[in-house]
Amino acid sequence: MRLMTRDKKRNRNPVRASRAERQYQSSLSQVARQVGSIINGFPPGDPAAEPTITTMLDRYADLLNDWAVSTASKMLVEVNQQDRKAWAVMTENMSKALRDEIRNAPTGQVMQGLLAEQVTLIKSIPLDAAKRVHELTLQGIEDGTRSSEIAKEIQRSGEVSESKAKAIARTEVSRTASALTEARALSVGSEGYIWRTSGDSDVRHSHAEMNGKFVRWDSPPTLDKMTGHAGCFPNCRCYPEPVIPE
């Protein structure tokens, strides 16, 4: 068996996805700002305005579909290209037959599944904002003494959506990289990988404990009540280092 060699200078994912993450976050931030503009166009906490806000955000989510497909596709293509480059470098000493097999791995189905999930996540930004405004408005009606505080929270909707956009970009670019690495590794008979962390102080304790451990592709671990592979948890910067046949 052979490890897909990682960066020896520091713990760094060989799939360079930082540019894809920046571009994806920038695009999703546009959605978050538009959500904030829609909500702040009405008096905060006004029960009479809430149905109109919800309708506008629901309509905005529907209108986002084609844009979401295009935006998510660009991210997926960029990460896929970086994953292919990483494999090309790390398999240069392997046989040509094995390199060709990895290069031509069937990733199409994985890409299609990821695309559908990204579109749903992008459209969730205005939909979740609408739900949040609805719930806060109800709180304002039920507790009039906190109406001014709740109104301020409603005005923060754009900021909350911005945080959600950032979390989606970081999590989903990392998850995409891990999913494509897994697909290519499985195509040549890999049974699992070595869990690698970014090696800094921000690594979660549960993830730090996984560093260096072998994980089977068909048996993802459960950490902090969530199940997934390296790089597939919210805001996770870990990555899988595949173990592949000689």
Side-chain angles (χ1 to χ4, degrees):
M1 304 296 285
R2 183 196 296 262
L3 283 177
M4 191 175 92
T5 309
R6 63 193 175 102
D7 190 318
K8 297 300 183 182
K9 296 180 180 179
R10 54 178 169 162
N11 291 357
R12 187 168 65 177
N13 192 335
V15 181
R16 306 287 192 254
S18 57
R19 183 174 68 175
E21 182 181 327
R22 289 194 302 271
Q23 292 174 339
Y24 201 36
Q25 181 181 329
S26 176
S27 295
L28 300 192
S29 292
Q30 296 177 32
V31 177
R33 288 193 291 271
Q34 183 61 32
V35 166
S37 295
I38 291 172
I39 295 171
N40 291 331
F42 295 87
D46 182 0
E50 187 272 325
T52 303
I53 293 174
T54 298
T55 298
M56 291 181 68
L57 290 172
D58 286 348
R59 189 172 300 166
Y60 180 45
D62 288 338
L63 292 172
L64 276 174
N65 194 77
D66 290 347
W67 181 89
V69 170
S70 175
T71 299
S73 295
K74 291 177 183 176
M75 182 273 284
L76 293 173
V77 168
E78 171 69 17
V79 177
N80 187 43
Q81 289 176 343
Q82 293 302 318
D83 187 64
R84 285 172 62 94
K85 289 179 181 178
W87 279 99
V89 171
M90 291 176 283
T91 59
E92 59 185 4
N93 294 324
M94 298 181 185
S95 68
K96 182 179 183 301
L98 184 57
R99 292 201 306 273
D100 289 344
E101 194 169 349
I102 292 173
R103 187 180 301 114
N104 298 315
T107 58
Q109 187 172 356
V110 173
M111 294 278 279
Q112 289 177 9
L114 288 167
L115 177 59
E117 291 166 0
Q118 296 313 303
V119 171
T120 298
L121 283 169
I122 291 172
K123 294 170 70 173
S124 76
I125 296 175
L127 294 177
D128 285 356
K131 181 179 178 181
R132 181 174 181 275
V133 169
H134 174 71
E135 291 174 348
L136 286 171
T137 301
L138 288 180
Q139 288 181 32
I141 295 173
E142 294 169 358
D143 186 358
T145 60
R146 295 182 59 240
S147 59
S148 61
E149 179 185 337
I150 290 172
K152 290 179 181 178
E153 274 301 302
I154 292 176
Q155 289 177 311
R156 287 186 60 250
S157 294
E159 180 184 338
V160 172
S161 295
E162 183 83 27
S163 296
K164 179 180 176 66
K166 182 177 181 179
I168 289 175
R170 170 171 286 185
T171 300
E172 294 306 310
V173 169
S174 176
R175 189 170 72 90
T176 295
S178 293
L180 291 170
T181 295
E182 177 183 358
R184 290 191 164 96
L186 288 172
S187 72
V188 291
S190 171
E191 295 183 354
Y193 65 92
I194 305 300
W195 184 296
R196 299 296 184 190
T197 71
S198 59
D200 57 35
S201 59
D202 291 331
V203 175
R204 280 166 275 191
H205 178 69
S206 59
H207 291 211
E209 290 188 327
M210 289 297 298
N211 190 46
K213 291 185 178 181
F214 177 80
V215 180
R216 291 184 58 88
W217 293 116
D218 59 6
S219 185
T222 297
L223 308 174
D224 306 321
K225 299 182 180 180
M226 293 180 286
T227 301
H229 286 302
C232 296
F233 293 84
N235 292 309
C236 179
R237 294 170 298 130
C238 301
Y239 60 93
E241 185 177 274
V243 178
I244 59 179
E246 287 285 2

